């Protein structure tokens, strides 16, 4: 006689609570990260003024590109293949992934130092400082990814809180110095504290000597994710450099100021895969027919939140805007509508992107990202040439919405393809 099956409803409730718990820690972590980025941006903007803040923003955008290089090679494959894996398997993978991230930081940091020697001016010291702090920044981000892959997002949250607390005295010291380089170094010094604490939290030592083996084993995903990620952040960097060349560095500061006002959503979008890819992978394993609905709820929620936040910013009094951004406010306020639409479009697209990552459809996600990045650069720089800063913002908004549509078309095709030709599960060891 067969044993009766356990009731499905309690099991579903337990699974739902587990997902809600992991998502809650993800949201808490993103809130901590968002708040830190927002406070740093506001503090630097008020301390330096619009032109120097534009130089700081160029360093920030460059960091975004290099961060995505590290994620593509080191931690994106970790998220796809080792989310929910046995502890021993996860620890071995986390040691190699974090070692790869640290190695990437050392390599690209050295390149930044060399480039800074030839740049000179205000930009040279800023990029030299970025080169010094990159290893710590990339290692800290690798710990966050590793913790979320293991389903222990609370440790990522605590790590980001430690970074935020360390930022306070570092920023005060930088304000006394009053240079862009000082603020960049302060930002990195506090990240070093968090990166070191991540080693204590995990009990894992980054294995830089095993980076080559990790890259070889994960090359089928890693190199595609590298191209995809650098297209995303590289497009932002090219747009910033193009805008600075066509309109002026102050225009870069104005765009960055508007992005700061939408900071909570931009920070979530930048690190969204910390939460959504592992959860989408779990949905795919446990209830594959629900993956499309999960991605739609995720993307729709992001887009709706961005629109609501942007609407609130339009109602913000000038006095409050000046209190937050100082002289940057008047230039940034003109761009709120356009940047909000762009963030909403990007938020909608992240739902589809998470689904493609969970499916391991690296070719489709790469195709989508290449198209979206080309639209972003074309819209941002073409708009700047036609109508200055405002034209660039409108061009980016239109490009982001168009790119989001392509992401969803690719996800729909991937889901149909999976139904017709089921694929084997990804490796977890």
């Amino acid at each position: 006689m067969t044993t009766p099956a356990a009731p499905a409803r309690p099991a579903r409730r337990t699974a739902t609570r587990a997902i809600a718990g992991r998502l809650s820690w993800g949201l808490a972590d993103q809130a901590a990260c968002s708040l830190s980025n927002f406070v740093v941006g506001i503090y630097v903007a008020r301390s330096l003024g619009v032109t120097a803040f534009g130089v700081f923003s160029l360093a920030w955008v460059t960091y975004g590109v290099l961060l995505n290089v590290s994620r593509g090679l080191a931690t994106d494959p970790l998220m796809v293949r080792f989310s929910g894996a046995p502890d021993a398997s996860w620890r071995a993978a986390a040691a190699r992934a974090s070692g790869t991230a640290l190695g990437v930081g050392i390599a690209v940091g050295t390149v930044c130092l060399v480039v800074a020697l030839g740049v000179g001016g205000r930009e040279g010291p800023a990029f030299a400082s970025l080169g010094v702090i990159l290893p710590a920044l990339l290692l800290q981000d690798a710990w966050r990814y590793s913790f979320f892959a293991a389903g222990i997002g609370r440790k990522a949250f605590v790590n980001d809180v430690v970074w935020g607390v360390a930022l306070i005295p570092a920023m005060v010291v930088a304000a006394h110095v009053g240079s862009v380089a000082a603020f960049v170094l302060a930002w990195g010094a506090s990240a070093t504290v968090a990166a070191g604490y991540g080693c204590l939290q995990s009990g894992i030592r980054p294995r830089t000597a095993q980076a080559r083996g990790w890259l070889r084993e994960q090359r089928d995903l890693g190199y595609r994710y590298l191209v995809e990620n650098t297209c995303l952040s590289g497009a932002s960097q090219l747009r910033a450099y193009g805008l600075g060349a066509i309109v002026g560095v102050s225009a870069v500061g104005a765009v960055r100021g508007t992005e700061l006002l939408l900071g909570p959503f931009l920070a979530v979008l930048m690190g969204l895969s910390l939460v959504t890819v592992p959860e989408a992978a779990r949905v795919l394993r446990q209830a594959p027919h629900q993956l499309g609905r999960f991605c739609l709820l995720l993307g729709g929620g992001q887009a709706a939140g961005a629109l609501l936040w942007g609407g609130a910013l339009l109602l913000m009094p000038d006095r409050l805007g000046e209190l937050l951004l100082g002289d940057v406010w008047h230039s940034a306020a003109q761009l709120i509508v356009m940047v909000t639409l762009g963030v909403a479009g990007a938020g909608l697209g992240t739902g589809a992107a998470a689904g493609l990552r969970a499916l391991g459809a690296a070719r489709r996600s790469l195709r989508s990202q290449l198209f979206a990045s080309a639209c972003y650069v074309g819209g941002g720089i073409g708009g700047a040439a036609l109508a200055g800063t405002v034209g660039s913002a409108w061009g980016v908004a239109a490009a982001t919405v168009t790119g989001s549509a392509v992401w969803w078309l690719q996800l729909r095709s991937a889901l149909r393809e999976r139904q017709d030709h089921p694929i084997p599960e990804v490796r977890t060891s």
Side-chain angles (χ1 to χ4, degrees), residues 117-217:
L117 294 176
V119 172
R122 287 184 171 184
E123 291 84 359
F127 279 88
S129 301
L130 179 63
V132 170
I133 67 173
L134 269 172
L137 288 169
L138 300 189
L139 179 58
Q140 191 274 339
D141 187 72
W143 290 132
R144 296 173 68 220
Y145 268 62
S146 298
F147 292 143
F148 276 105
I152 46 177
R154 65 184 182 279
K155 289 191 175 182
F157 169 74
V158 172
N159 193 275
D160 270 328
V161 169
V162 168
W163 188 3
V165 172
L167 267 170
I168 298 172
M171 285 289 140
V172 171
V173 172
H176 283 293
V177 177
S179 68
V180 175
F183 279 105
V184 175
L185 288 172
W187 172 38
S190 55
T192 303
V193 174
Y197 183 60
C199 296
L200 296 177
Q201 286 178 293
S202 63
I204 297 171
R205 188 176 67 182
R207 302 288 183 179
T208 53
Q210 297 181 17
R212 182 175 296 179
W214 176 262
L215 294 174
R216 184 174 58 251
E217 292 173 16

Side-chain angles (χ1 to χ4, degrees), residues 68-312:
N68 279 302
V69 170
S70 174
R71 287 178 176 175
L73 293 175
T75 50
D76 280 343
L78 175 73
M79 295 287 280
V80 172
R81 288 189 163 143
F82 294 90
S83 290
D87 184 68
S89 179
W90 168 78
R91 293 181 69 83
R96 290 185 293 160
S98 60
T100 302
L102 183 58
V104 170
I106 294 170
V108 297
T110 302
V111 173
C112 280
L113 288 171
V114 173
V115 170
L117 294 176
V119 172
R122 287 184 171 184
E123 291 84 359
F127 279 88
S129 301
L130 179 63
V132 170
I133 67 173
L134 269 172
L137 288 169
L138 300 189
L139 179 58
Q140 191 274 339
D141 187 72
W143 290 132
R144 296 173 68 220
Y145 268 62
S146 298
F147 292 143
F148 276 105
I152 46 177
R154 65 184 182 279
K155 289 191 175 182
F157 169 74
V158 172
N159 193 275
D160 270 328
V161 169
V162 168
W163 188 3
V165 172
L167 267 170
I168 298 172
M171 285 289 140
V172 171
V173 172
H176 283 293
V177 177
S179 68
V180 175
F183 279 105
V184 175
L185 288 172
W187 172 38
S190 55
T192 303
V193 174
Y197 183 60
C199 296
L200 296 177
Q201 286 178 293
S202 63
I204 297 171
R205 188 176 67 182
R207 302 288 183 179
T208 53
Q210 297 181 17
R212 182 175 296 179
W214 176 262
L215 294 174
R216 184 174 58 251
E217 292 173 16
Q218 309 301 328
R219 63 182 179 274
D220 58 326
L221 292 182
Y223 292 120
R224 286 195 176 100
Y225 289 156
L226 168 65
V227 176
E228 181 181 328
N229 289 354
T230 52
C231 282
L232 172 64
S233 52
S236 178
Q237 187 176 28
L238 286 174
R239 185 260 182 129
Y241 289 164
L243 183 60
I246 295 170
V247 183
V249 176
S250 60
V252 180
V255 171
R256 177 61 186 153
T258 312
E259 292 173 347
L260 280 173
L261 296 174
L262 284 147
F265 295 97
L266 289 170
V268 168
L269 292 177
M270 286 177 64
L272 198 60
S273 58
L274 288 172
V275 183
T276 58
V277 173
E279 291 307 321
R282 289 184 178 96
V283 170
L284 181 63
R285 292 190 184 102
Q286 298 168 9
H289 61 284
Q290 293 288 338
L291 180 61
R293 181 172 178 269
F294 173 83
C295 295
L296 183 60
L297 289 173
L298 174 68
Q302 288 287 325
L307 291 173
L308 288 173
W309 187 270

